[in-house]
Amino acid sequence: MRPAALSHRLARGIYMAPCTPKTEEQDRQRCLAEAVRRLVACRAQRVIIDSREEQDRHDNVTIYRALGCRPSTTGVTYTHQDSTSAPLLWIPDAVAWCYGAGGDWRRRIEPAIADVTNL
């Protein structure tokens, strides 16, 4: 019997957008909207997002819009959690850091990344 954790498909994409301090939130929301659309297309059931406290409301609006007029029919549930209480959130942070650092770090992490989407 396979362990339950290994029987789930994992999303392994990176979403990139040109980012400046002035457009950081807007760019994050563009990446999040695209990720949600793809997760719905592959029939994801649960999305856990690293909480940014007061800014979570921006994510909630983006996710609601990305789900369109069918949020309850998609079967997707989402929640924000603080990364201190959800250690699995450390993994995407580490992957993104390695990819963003470039060089040998990027080379090492690339086998774990299914695709990179530039927005």
Side-chain angles (χ1 to χ4, degrees):
M1 178 184 286
R2 291 183 357 181
L6 297 178
S7 67
H8 297 290
R9 290 185 0 199
L10 300 175
R12 300 178 314 151
I14 290 182
Y15 299 87
M16 296 180 58
C19 185
T20 67
K22 195 172 189 176
T23 65
E24 182 177 358
E25 186 63 38
Q26 171 185 337
D27 297 328
R28 173 189 166 84
Q29 298 310 316
R30 286 180 36 221
C31 291
L32 180 59
E34 182 60 26
V36 169
R37 282 190 284 275
R38 288 196 184 179
L39 290 167
V40 167
C42 73
R43 297 184 175 169
Q45 295 176 342
R46 186 166 185 218
V47 179
I48 301 173
I49 305 164
D50 197 359
S51 178
R52 299 176 304 139
E53 297 178 10
E54 293 85 32
Q55 292 149 328
D56 291 353
R57 60 187 164 81
H58 298 296
D59 294 348
N60 292 337
V61 169
T62 296
I63 293 168
Y64 182 80
R65 287 181 180 158
L67 294 176
C69 60
R70 61 194 192 295
S72 61
T73 62
T74 63
V76 176
T77 61
Y78 62 94
T79 185
H80 287 87
Q81 291 186 6
D82 190 295
S83 60
T84 59
S85 66
L88 287 177
L89 289 174
W90 303 344
I91 297 169
D93 284 346
V95 170
W97 184 90
C98 291
Y99 190 86
D104 193 46
W105 287 107
R106 183 177 289 185
R107 181 192 61 75
R108 291 177 184 202
I109 202 63
E110 280 180 334
I113 299 169
D115 65 289
V116 177
T117 302
N118 291 296
L119 301 174

